Amino acid sequence: MGETFPSRAVRGVAVRCGTAGNCDPDFASFSLDFEPLPGGRTGYKFVADRDYELDEYGLELHELFAPMIDRGVRLNLTGEPRPPFVTFMADTAPRTFSIGRLDGAADGPVIALRVVLVSVRYHAVDSSEGIHQYGGWRAAHKARCLLAGVRPDPDARDRAS
């Protein structure tokens, strides 16, 4: 089968976005684990079913925004450029993601990845689909940098270390 992605687990990849007193809905705060799929399996799996201690309204937000985190990760893995930072809007156009090889390259590593949403917080007013999609892309970018042994490029929107 050859090389697979990821070669090892990367845990606790955090994304924290938000500006106090800002009118844009730009709040996202979550942590992801990037793990190789067990048993030599290939493919992609996003897991967001833990008990995040969300109230009823938080669960509604979770149903709306967790898929946007997943979509952001998928955009990164398929080689799409960083989503434009438009806080209200997300790329929700119907599309099929071919998650077979990293960046869609014929000779790229085979994807064998499970992404686990470990922790998450939502804000009733200041969270949006767009910022969570951006955050998912950013988290995947950070995980790829860590796996490559390089420091992720700084981004003023992401306040996580």
Side-chain angles (χ1 to χ4, degrees):
M1 176 171 54
E3 185 182 2
T4 60
F5 176 85
S7 57
R8 62 180 171 80
V10 178
R11 302 197 185 283
V13 179
V15 172
R16 284 193 307 273
C17 300
T19 307
N22 189 1
C23 292
D24 286 335
D26 65 350
F27 179 84
S29 180
F30 59 87
S31 177
L32 299 175
D33 285 350
F34 291 77
E35 308 170 338
L37 282 172
R41 295 191 334 248
T42 62
Y44 172 83
K45 183 174 183 179
F46 184 79
V47 179
D49 60 0
R50 293 186 170 192
D51 179 9
Y52 303 108
E53 299 181 11
L54 300 171
D55 61 16
E56 186 176 327
Y57 188 67
L59 289 172
E60 289 179 24
L61 294 174
H62 183 66
E63 289 178 12
L64 181 64
F65 298 139
M68 290 294 104
I69 296 170
D70 176 29
R71 188 173 182 97
V73 170
R74 288 172 182 255
L75 286 168
N76 182 284
L77 296 177
T78 56
E80 294 285 328
R82 182 179 74 197
F85 188 68
V86 178
T87 55
F88 287 106
M89 303 299 290
D91 174 3
T92 58
R95 78 167 82 175
T96 302
F97 288 100
S98 176
I99 305 260
R101 293 189 175 269
L102 194 61
D103 296 330
D107 60 348
V110 174
I111 293 176
L113 174 65
R114 181 170 90 149
V115 178
V116 180
L117 182 61
V118 177
S119 65
V120 65
R121 288 179 35 218
Y122 301 109
H123 190 278
V125 175
D126 291 331
S127 288
S128 70
E129 291 178 325
I131 194 64
H132 284 86
Q133 182 174 291
Y134 161 79
W137 189 97
R138 175 77 180 156
H141 171 76
K142 290 166 88 170
R144 291 174 70 167
C145 287
L146 292 168
L147 283 164
V150 298
R151 185 177 176 94
D153 58 319
D155 187 322
R157 291 171 291 271
D158 182 7
R159 296 181 288 128
S161 55

